[in-house]
Amino acid sequence: MQIFSCPFCGPRPEPEFHFGGELGNHRPAPDCSPEAWAQYLHFRTNPRGAAEEIWLHIPCGELFKMHRDTVTMTALPGRALGDQP
Amino acid sequence: MTRHYSALSLLKEGLAGQKGWAKAWESPEPKPRYDMVIVGGGGHGLATAYYLAKQHGITDVAVVEKGWLGGGNTGRNTTVVRSNYFFPESVRLYDMALKLYEGLSRELNYNIMLSQRGMISLAHTPAEMEMAARVVNAMQINGTDAELFGPEDVKRVLPIYNFGPKARYPALGGVWQGRSGTARHDAVAWGYARAAARLGVHILQQCEVTDFLIEGGRCRGVVTASGAIRADKVGLAVAGHSSQMAAKAGFRLPVTSYALQACVSEPVKPILDTVVLSPGAGTYASQSDKGEMVVGGGLDRIPSYGQRGNLPVLETVLSGLVEMFPAFRQLNLMRQWAGIVDVVPDSSPILGESPLPGLFLNCGWGTGGFKSIPAGGVLLAHLMATGQHHDISRPFDLDRFTTGRLIDEAAGSGIAH
Amino acid sequence: MTARRLPEGGEVDRSRPLSFTFDGRPVQGFHGDTLASALLASGERVLGRSFKYRRPRGIWGAGTEEPNVYADATDGPRFHPNLRVTLEPARDGLDLRSANSSPSARADRLGFLDLFARFLPSAFYYKTFFWPNWHVYEPAIRRMAGLGRIKPSSAPLPDGDQRNHHCDTVVVGAGPVGIAAALGLSRSGESVVLVDDGSRIGGSLLFRSARIDGMPGANWLAAAEADLRQLGVTVLTRTTAFGIYDHGLIALNQRRDDGPDRLWRVRPRRIVLAAGAVERPLPFAANDLPGVMSAEAALGYLRRQAVLPGLRIVVATNNSSTDEVAAAMTAAGAEVTVVDARQGRRVARALGRRMVTGVVLEDGTRIPCDCVLVSGGFTATVHLHAQAKGRLRWDDARLSFVPEAPVAGLVTVGAAAGHFALAEALAALPETLGLPDVPVADSAPYDITPLWPRPGQPGRVWIDLQHDVTAKDVELAARENMVSVEHLKRYTTLGMATDQGKTSNLAGMALMGALTGRSIPEVGTTTYRPPFAPVPYTSLAGPRGGSRMNPVRRLACEARHREIGASLGDYGGWLRPAHYGSDDSAILAEAKLARAAVGLFDASPLGKIEVIGPDAAAFLDFIHYNTVSTLKPGQCRYGFILAESGVVYDDGVLVRLDDHRFVVSCSSAHVAGVHGLLEEWRQDRFPAARIAIHDATAETATLTVSGPKARATLAAAGIDADLSDTAFPHMTTRWHGSGEAALRLTRVSFTGDRSYEVSVRQDLAPPLWDRLAAAARAEGGGPIGIEALMILRAEKGFIVIGKDTDGMTRPMDLGVSGPMKAKKVDFLGRRSLFTDEAQRADRNQLVGLLPADGFGPLPVGAHGIDLSGTTPRSIGYITSSHPGAALDHPVALGLIERGAERHGQEITLHHLGQRRRATLCPPCFLDPKGERLHA
């Protein structure tokens, strides 16, 4: 059971959270190339180790940013989407 | 030296104190150059090397493995083999694998203990029964064996299932595939390794690939801890770590790595005679020949490269299992582990030449890597030897993510991945 | 039969005798016995059979490491396979059967297998059974394998208990070092949980003599127990710390006398691992014979349960720990011979067939005996450290892997850290734990000389007792190049038995190292995986079964439905009336009733997500496939939400209550998903926008009245709004009443008939149901279940997402391509509608299907097939099929290749080996002009 820290609710157990994707996967312009659209839709960096991610805290409904290590599973406290890094 | 395996050679060696057996494979020094190099000494990599040698006569091949062969997902799965898929593309792929499995013990002269005990994918509601019928019909049309089971059939193959009035997951029936079953996972890796080595393939263990040799926009080999190894073509079969290798080659993949967990109980005398999957309870199980209950469930919910189990998933899976089989409350958990799998948006594998010419991909198998090993080997070998797709691998090319022509089994059939 | 109970001494209470049976024979014991000590005292030596060769086996150890003796236990109505006799207290009335034998361990039918052992080395099964195939041999091998048996007919075991706990420190192991650590940390103000898998705390103090702080060990222990109580330390005995998981979670399994096992999930700030060490066997031929046992365990049985394991005892050792064992056995009256490798004396082989009768030393000396107590040194119990990803270091003086350095949140002390002498272990505490004041002990230093299995050693030298892995098997693995430690394990199955190699792994690695010219650390260790010792499924499953598993959601009107005999079923996670009455022939009758007069349907699970705020319209324009902002207040519009992949994610009616307030209705199974999607895009793409999103599904009940008498029913139920078509046209919404009891009336139809959705605060729904039900009956109609609704909507060609669509369906496949072509602003999934795949001409499209072969309704799940090629090819499938209610023929919906352009064509269907014929048609079978909406 991992413990993640929602920036609004504090530390909570892992079943309350939902992985929202890699940070920085921006939606391209509507007229982008098929390749650019495919990169946005499907292709991922999938880092081993340090990762910047978007997570959803299900009970409060807020998305937030979180720095996590995908090998050791250490996770820094989440930051609100609007917060600067 | 006794090289051939048989009852007779076992008897002969028994009288001689088992002292005459040859090495299953050698541990040669790496050469500076091979015709072809396969990165990853799991089932898919070893099978690729074997079929390159066997079917294409290309024997100047090295399999480069960072740890010990068969030590990744090949040695960490729940050993189920099946081809109960929905789309014709998938059935052709997985049935090719199952058919090869059916002849593999003799072909490799290595008993992989293929145990076709049948598999029931249960349906618990009328809506799931309708979906089961859709899947059974698809399988029959696509040329593999399938039956739609009703409640009496389930009672016959799973007499100890929870048929009580308060069962959360009543068994209305399900998809039955009689040719499904299990195979001994280590034996598959070792059998391919031994057979490939006999044909001249070099198996290089403890040899981590740290980079690719890229010249003129083509992949010309690999860089390892013990030096560069040049090759005309390089195959990549490193499930769970495909993204890392792709990054070294300069591209990204539609892959996210997740842990997939499994566990075994203490061994007991035979009590479960088939492979059983309940999408509702989120659990599947089979009993090994040794007697252990081999149990798995869905993927973890948190992307991960940590090859270890955790409690939340274990608790969910086992609570589902004892709900299905109340007698299993008597069992004890003996060992728990996890493998790291490549999860692809459509849960189908990626086979084909990569964006870096000369580098060929075999990845993205998700939870279905073990059952497809022979096909993954044949198809990657075909790609590398001919430079062309096999008809069966063509739909699984990386280009499908750009065209949008995904092969999404979860969407089509409701089979839980 | 020379082991026996001494007349006095030990912890056992001779005034409280008990008895149980083993393989049908009575066994006497006392309160304070374990099953193992009572069995040992009974003098019976052969208590188990090995896994592969069915060799006779006796008790080896005294704890979780026991490799040999397991029993299936009948305990009243309950049944437990594979019980570890070394861990379980003896209890009156238990009926034990040795686990891997038939009919008894003493006389096992398969005992002859050992005669063929030379032909059955490790991994022999990979080398044979090719002809005709494995399936011929497998059943017999399956029957021979396995350990105990499950008994399905016994009473179900009760739910396990589960508990979460937080504290400063968990101390694993309550030997003297663990106790000292717990005391010290508790005195410094920490909350401490002290865990031990034994029935009492004290560890070695329970059977070894010691002097701590100048007093005898037993006295120190008694004082410590009092101090622990006074300090409020939580002491959990019979509790095994079996796993360390991410973020410092430690999992404990507590075996309780008064109930099922309990799983503790404890999250301490720090874990102190004081788990001790496990004694290793010595490598000599026939070292598996009954009567050969762990010297440390034997000392425990002698001092704790007053069981003397033999009268003529050989103590075979390579270390100083046995000095006390030999002395104690002598003092208890046994004749003891010490064979100490430190003095150059080593046992070459044990003699005896069913139990040990003597030993032969390497110098040829023959010593008759009835018991051999062996110590090959100790292996530090580092499992939890290694599970926590701590690294290990080989200690060449102590001959054990020990933790290299503490890992975050976990520190190892005592014998688990390689401090096998008590004085040394306690002396290390101040530095490792930062404790100022720790007890001081006097003890002899630990002294050991290597004695590993050697290549070419004569005879059968067992490495893994349970799995029958001998030194020759390790040599075979080396010969065949299975030299990596993981290959060694998997090829020979060394360490894969239920004891997980606690006594055997190191000897196997040492031998493999010797065979391949590597040191033990060069060979390395296998991965340490949880659980440390087997854990009951019930503990891990906890109280989650039956109705508590994925619990269904309940309707506010459930009691009303039950009163009128509803058959309830799980629909998308909600418990809903399928139909009323137990007979499913009611389904069609209900549908016909709704067509002829009026049907009342509980539609409460329908998703109702409110999107509120000045920017809501622009936001929903992005979310929805259809344009939303052009909707006027009070109006409704049917439409889709797409996933970014362009696939139809959900459908529903969007209601605009006023300029700034919308209700997104969605499929009942998709509420959480749609809500999440809305929030995701609001926060990601519209972070500064003035929008609030609220899921009102749970708080709002919705009752739908549909049919030609719908309007009359509403009026008769006392809803006195102006329901005329001019005041309240189709696809509009309005409020009726005010305050808490206000009703929201929405005129939309999922049946094709005039319909009104009446939404109300959920606690007010039952009386509303009563009024509407009475009114509907008065109008000649009544309640209908979801199955009848499925007929009604199918006749009209209305789809159910996830049933009539699949994970590939784009809106154009459903005949809705307007927004893709005409919508001005970007929306979710738009780009994906222009991929090659989405534009493909041969896509599966929604069609209606009618039987063309004169038989009954078309089967759901049947596939259309194209027979023009060499093999049949699926061209889509039937997704819904129902008898007609208004119509006098059955109807079906399906997704069929190029279906939209093939109306009127016949196709062949495949269903479970049978063929059917069907005609394709438009998906709307009833009233395509929509006249019934206004009837």
Side-chain angles (χ1 to χ4, degrees), chain C residues 754-912:
Chain C
R754 173 189 293 274
S755 298
Y756 300 89
E757 285 179 6
V758 186
S759 296
V760 66
R761 212 178 70 188
Q762 59 88 18
D763 56 316
L764 303 175
L768 178 65
W769 171 272
D770 291 340
R771 281 155 55 204
L772 288 170
R777 282 197 196 91
E779 295 295 334
I784 65 169
I786 191 165
E787 294 294 346
L789 185 75
M790 288 295 110
I791 296 178
L792 301 174
R793 64 92 202 173
E795 279 188 322
K796 186 65 186 171
F798 290 143
I799 58 167
V800 172
I801 298 291
K803 177 173 169 66
D804 301 300
T805 65
D806 61 24
M808 294 152 289
T809 306
R810 269 73 170 182
M812 307 86 86
D813 305 329
L814 302 171
V816 187
S817 50
M820 182 190 82
K821 293 173 183 156
K823 192 168 167 180
K824 298 283 191 293
V825 296
D826 194 14
F827 56 89
L828 204 53
R830 181 182 179 279
R831 181 64 186 82
S832 291
L833 301 181
F834 297 91
T835 59
D836 296 350
E837 171 63 13
Q839 296 290 327
R840 191 159 52 88
D842 59 349
R843 296 184 57 83
N844 287 358
Q845 294 164 328
L846 180 70
V847 290
L849 296 100
L850 294 168
D853 51 12
F855 298 109
L858 298 168
V860 178
H863 282 242
I865 46 174
D866 169 10
L867 294 166
S868 62
T870 50
T871 52
R873 186 176 70 84
S874 167
I875 54 165
Y877 33 83
I878 293 187
T879 58
S880 293
S881 178
H882 298 280
L887 302 167
D888 56 4
H889 59 81
V891 299
L893 299 173
L895 290 168
I896 299 292
E897 189 176 292
R898 297 178 192 269
E901 64 188 48
R902 297 170 66 184
H903 294 169
Q905 293 182 14
E906 263 191 37
I907 63 167
T908 301
L909 297 173
H910 170 103
H911 185 62
L912 307 180

Side-chain angles (χ1 to χ4, degrees), chain C residues 319-378:
Chain C
N319 67 81
S320 57
S321 74
T322 46
D323 297 353
E324 184 177 355
V325 178
M329 297 296 157
T330 307
E335 180 190 325
V336 175
T337 311
V338 175
V339 180
D340 191 338
R342 292 175 300 165
Q343 295 151 11
R345 278 155 59 87
R346 294 192 286 230
V347 175
R349 62 192 163 103
L351 302 170
R353 212 169 63 81
R354 294 171 54 80
M355 59 189 73
V356 67
T357 57
V359 294
V360 180
L361 307 192
E362 288 189 351
D363 61 12
T365 310
R366 187 177 275 258
I367 308 171
C369 66
D370 57 13
C371 175
V372 184
L373 302 182
V374 299
S375 178
F378 289 83

Side-chain angles (χ1 to χ4, degrees), chain C residues 458-478:
Chain C
R460 297 168 76 191
V461 178
W462 263 261
I463 308 285
D464 185 316
L465 288 166
Q466 187 178 135
H467 265 176
D468 280 325
V469 180
T470 66
K472 286 192 171 53
D473 292 311
V474 177
E475 291 179 20
L476 176 66

Side-chain angles (χ1 to χ4, degrees), chain B residues 190-389:
Chain B
W190 298 339
Y192 273 121
R194 174 170 164 270
R198 293 275 153 89
L199 295 170
V201 170
H202 276 194
I203 293 165
L204 310 174
Q205 300 185 74
Q206 305 290 334
C207 185
E208 181 166 5
V209 171
T210 55
D211 211 344
F212 294 99
L213 289 173
I214 302 172
E215 293 167 6
R218 270 192 74 87
C219 184
R220 301 287 182 185
V222 296
V223 181
T224 74
S226 45
I229 300 175
R230 302 187 70 84
D232 297 338
K233 288 175 183 168
V234 177
L236 194 62
V238 292
H241 297 83
S242 306
S243 298
Q244 271 56 58
M245 297 309 293
K248 292 181 202 300
F251 58 91
R252 298 201 305 171
L253 288 170
V255 166
T256 304
S257 294
Y258 283 86
L260 178 66
Q261 299 190 51
C263 62
V264 292
S265 73
E266 288 184 339
V268 288
K269 299 294 178 200
I271 185 85
L272 178 65
D273 202 35
T274 67
V275 183
V276 56
L277 163 74
S278 162
T283 299
Y284 63 93
S286 64
Q287 188 174 15
S288 72
D289 286 337
K290 203 175 130 192
E292 298 155 334
M293 219 55 69
V294 185
V295 183
L299 288 166
D300 277 15
R301 298 170 58 253
I302 301 171
S304 164
Y305 287 90
Q307 279 182 330
R308 55 186 178 272
N310 59 46
L311 277 188
V313 171
L314 183 68
E315 292 180 29
T316 305
V317 166
L318 291 184
S319 59
L321 186 67
V322 300
E323 175 63 22
M324 291 161 67
F325 300 102
F328 286 3
R329 287 170 170 258
Q330 296 165 20
L331 289 172
N332 293 320
L333 173 80
M334 187 167 80
R335 204 164 49 241
Q336 174 195 17
W337 68 92
I340 304 303
V341 299
D342 290 348
V343 177
V344 176
D346 62 355
S347 305
S348 286
I350 300 169
L351 292 160
E353 193 161 12
S354 80
L356 177 65
L359 178 65
F360 295 83
L361 300 172
N362 168 331
C363 66
W365 294 97
T367 63
F370 176 71
K371 69 177 74 73
S372 53
I373 282 173
V378 167
L379 297 172
L380 183 59
H382 183 96
L383 270 158
M384 292 178 71
T386 66
Q388 304 290 319
H389 265 296

Side-chain angles (χ1 to χ4, degrees), chain B residues 83-120:
Chain B
S83 63
N84 50 354
Y85 283 78
F86 184 73
F87 291 110
E89 295 88 343
S90 307
V91 173
R92 285 166 67 197
L93 176 69
Y94 291 102
D95 218 40
M96 175 194 213
L98 190 51
K99 282 178 183 147
L100 287 165
Y101 265 130
E102 284 169 338
L104 203 58
S105 290
R106 282 193 217 171
E107 171 162 5
L108 300 180
N109 181 228
Y110 208 98
N111 183 10
I112 62 154
M113 301 188 187
L114 177 70
S115 175
Q116 291 174 293
R117 328 190 62 75
M119 170 164 173
I120 175 77

Side-chain angles (χ1 to χ4, degrees), chain B residues 5-7 10-11 14-15 17-27 68-70 75-76 86-87 105-106 109-111 113-117 125 130-131 133-138 140-141 148 160 166 168-169 184-187 190 205 264-273 280-281 287-293 295 307-311 314-316 318-323 327-337 402-405 408 411-412, chain C residues 51 54 79 81-82 84 99-100 118-119 121 124-135 138 141-152 154 156-159 162 242 245-246 249 251 263 265 389 467 476 479-482 484 486-487 490-491 496-498 500 529-531 533-538 540-541 544-547 549-550 552 570 802-803 806-808 810 835-837 840 860-863 865 872-874 877 879 910-913:
Chain B
Y5 293 166
S6 69
L10 199 60
L11 197 69
L15 297 171
Q18 309 287 347
K19 293 209 167 119
W21 294 109
K23 285 185 181 179
W25 52 79
E26 297 293 325
S27 298
W68 40 281
L69 61 87
R76 294 166 184 271
F86 184 73
F87 291 110
S105 290
R106 282 193 217 171
N109 181 228
Y110 208 98
N111 183 10
M113 301 188 187
L114 177 70
S115 175
Q116 291 174 293
R117 328 190 62 75
T125 65
E130 292 181 355
M131 197 59 79
R134 190 191 286 184
V135 173
V136 166
N137 286 323
Q140 289 178 347
I141 293 165
L148 185 66
I160 60 165
K166 290 188 174 167
R168 175 68 180 88
Y169 291 107
R184 177 81 195 132
H185 54 3
D186 292 329
W190 298 339
Q205 300 185 74
V264 292
S265 73
E266 288 184 339
V268 288
K269 299 294 178 200
I271 185 85
L272 178 65
D273 202 35
Q287 188 174 15
S288 72
D289 286 337
K290 203 175 130 192
E292 298 155 334
M293 219 55 69
V295 183
Q307 279 182 330
R308 55 186 178 272
N310 59 46
L311 277 188
L314 183 68
E315 292 180 29
T316 305
L318 291 184
S319 59
L321 186 67
V322 300
E323 175 63 22
F328 286 3
R329 287 170 170 258
Q330 296 165 20
L331 289 172
N332 293 320
L333 173 80
M334 187 167 80
R335 204 164 49 241
Q336 174 195 17
W337 68 92
T402 308
T403 64
R405 183 152 200 162
D408 191 343
Chain C
F51 198 83
R54 300 290 189 111
F79 190 79
N82 297 339
R84 272 176 159 65
N100 194 32
R118 63 162 60 204
F119 303 110
F124 73 95
Y125 32 77
Y126 297 135
K127 292 174 176 158
T128 182
F129 306 126
F130 298 110
W131 298 97
N133 60 48
W134 170 238
H135 293 143
E138 190 187 22
I141 288 184
R142 276 175 89 85
R143 282 195 297 275
M144 279 190 262
L147 201 56
R149 62 184 71 246
I150 284 183
K151 197 170 162 193
S154 64
L157 296 177
D159 285 346
Q162 299 189 327
F242 68 82
Y245 296 96
D246 292 325
L249 184 79
L263 175 75
R265 304 183 202 90
K389 297 288 158 194
H467 265 176
L476 176 66
R479 192 171 299 132
E480 299 190 87
N481 205 16
M482 293 286 185
S484 114
E486 290 285 352
H487 285 161
R490 288 154 179 268
Y491 196 62
M496 296 184 81
T498 58
Q500 296 283 284
R529 297 196 174 103
V535 179
Y537 272 17
T538 47
L540 294 159
R544 285 194 189 78
S547 60
M549 172 162 284
N550 298 332
V552 289
D570 175 358
K803 177 173 169 66
D806 61 24
M808 294 152 289
R810 269 73 170 182
T835 59
D836 296 350
E837 171 63 13
R840 191 159 52 88
V860 178
H863 282 242
I865 46 174
R873 186 176 70 84
S874 167
Y877 33 83
T879 58
H910 170 103
H911 185 62
L912 307 180

